[in-house]
Amino acid sequence: MSGITILSAEAAWAKTCQNQGWNDQSKIVHLEGFIREMSLFEKFETYFTRAACQENEDCAVARRAASDARPIAGDPRLVVLERLGYDVDTDDDQPGKWIWTSSTDGCDSSFETAQAALDGAWADAVRVTWSLLDMPVEQWAALSLEQQIEAVDKPFPVD
């Protein structure tokens, strides 16, 4: 699956969740239903076992992050986005919802979670980076997250 296809599918999921008014519990019900329907629980077990082990090893880091007022603190993408002029914050017009803005753009609608708003801001920054680098989607998708972060963080000359 190409990077644009993945971003498009993720954006469609976020938009459907928002349009349907699905809260986190509703999303979990649908995700578990998908995992069950696609017979992926065995693969999922590998993932959640590894995730639990990682959390247990990083419990001190997790506690610090949980105590932060911004639930996305510590995400390396946020550091880069903020350096580029992006902001992910609560929506003053819709309590409990989140938005992202940049010096030149902003989201069209609010998000249910800070993570979803961060993902939207990241997708915007990636879109800008692709256009500046003129990089094929397949090449972008082959990059690790660290390489993608480095590419988005790289300063570009202004014409």
Side-chain angles (χ1 to χ4, degrees), residues 35-52:
I35 292 167
R36 187 174 295 106
E37 186 175 301
M38 301 304 288
S39 302
L40 294 173
F41 261 107
E42 188 174 331
K43 288 182 180 180
F44 186 50
E45 180 182 17
T46 302
Y47 168 81
F48 69 72
T49 301
R50 186 179 64 240

Side-chain angles (χ1 to χ4, degrees), residues 70 72 87-92 97-101 111 114 117:
R70 294 178 71 191
I72 53 176
D87 186 39
V88 177
D89 207 348
T90 55
D91 186 343
D92 292 336
K97 299 212 176 191
W98 293 79
I99 58 169
W100 66 265
T101 57
F111 295 88

Side-chain angles (χ1 to χ4, degrees), residues 73-91:
D75 189 310
R77 299 174 305 161
L78 180 62
V79 174
V80 170
L81 289 171
E82 287 177 337
R83 191 170 25 251
L84 295 173
Y86 284 80
D87 186 39
V88 177
D89 207 348
T90 55
D91 186 343

Side-chain angles (χ1 to χ4, degrees), residues 51-74:
C53 181
Q54 178 80 29
E55 285 179 14
N56 291 339
E57 291 173 8
D58 297 338
C59 64
V61 173
R63 274 196 298 273
R64 279 195 305 275
S67 68
D68 194 301
R70 294 178 71 191
I72 53 176

Side-chain angles (χ1 to χ4, degrees), residues 80-153:
V80 170
L81 289 171
E82 287 177 337
R83 191 170 25 251
L84 295 173
Y86 284 80
D87 186 39
V88 177
D89 207 348
T90 55
D91 186 343
D92 292 336
D93 297 330
Q94 297 184 60
K97 299 212 176 191
W98 293 79
I99 58 169
W100 66 265
T101 57
S102 73
S103 57
T104 60
D105 202 1
C107 56
D108 294 328
S109 57
S110 300
F111 295 88
E112 292 294 322
T113 66
Q115 187 64 52
L118 174 64
D119 292 343
W122 182 251
D124 183 73
V126 165
R127 182 188 51 76
V128 171
T129 302
W130 276 342
S131 67
L132 292 170
L133 293 177
D134 195 29
M135 179 185 287
V137 174
E138 296 77 20
Q139 186 179 352
W140 179 265
L143 297 176
S144 68
L145 178 59
E146 291 79 17
Q147 292 169 318
Q148 290 178 359
I149 288 171
E150 185 177 317
V152 170
D153 196 26

